[in-house]
Amino acid sequence: PREWDHLPGDLGAGGVALLTGSQDTVRRCDLEVGAEHATMEGHSGRIACLAVWERECVLFTGSQDSTARRWDFKKGAEQVTMEGHANGITCLAISERGGSPCSRARR
């Protein structure tokens, strides 16, 4: 599964992280040490999908609140909120070449 990634740099002591999305929160845990390193909050609805742009250590989340968000997951900080869907976002994809996200919402 995509949520088990060997992530670059100092994302965790061993560089192996697990990203999980729940009701309205994303957590980044270091699997080597078994510790949570970041909690990212901001969505007002259930998080339905996650996508990682490994090269830049960026996480995108899509939510039932009809927004997608871009996060710096080293710092656990939100960078951008993207709005425009009329319904909740159900899937995300990222161009590895340029990091541009693509999202789809329910009809």
Side-chain angles (χ1 to χ4, degrees):
R2 255 325 260 176
E3 60 268 307
W4 292 88
D5 277 316
H6 292 275
L7 301 172
D10 60 350
L11 300 176
V16 181
L18 173 68
L19 299 165
T20 63
S22 64
Q23 181 59 32
D24 55 4
T25 304
V26 174
R27 287 178 167 63
R28 180 175 57 81
C29 300
D30 182 329
L31 294 178
E32 296 292 321
V33 201
E36 184 177 309
H37 282 280
T39 300
M40 294 162 263
E41 299 175 313
H43 283 291
S44 61
R46 182 179 64 84
I47 296 169
C49 47
L50 307 170
V52 176
W53 184 21
E54 293 180 64
R55 189 178 80 207
E56 297 295 323
C57 301
V58 169
L59 169 68
F60 290 92
T61 55
S63 172
Q64 294 302 309
D65 67 8
S66 304
T67 66
R69 295 175 190 256
R70 176 184 164 135
W71 307 85
D72 174 332
F73 61 83
K74 278 186 174 180
K75 298 176 183 173
E78 182 182 339
Q79 295 177 324
V80 176
T81 299
M82 296 163 270
E83 300 176 334
H85 284 290
N87 294 306
I89 296 173
T90 57
C91 62
L92 289 168
I94 300 172
S95 162
E96 281 296 321
R97 294 179 79 190
S100 300
C102 177
S103 59
R104 180 180 171 129
R106 321 179 258 118
R107 291 183 182 203

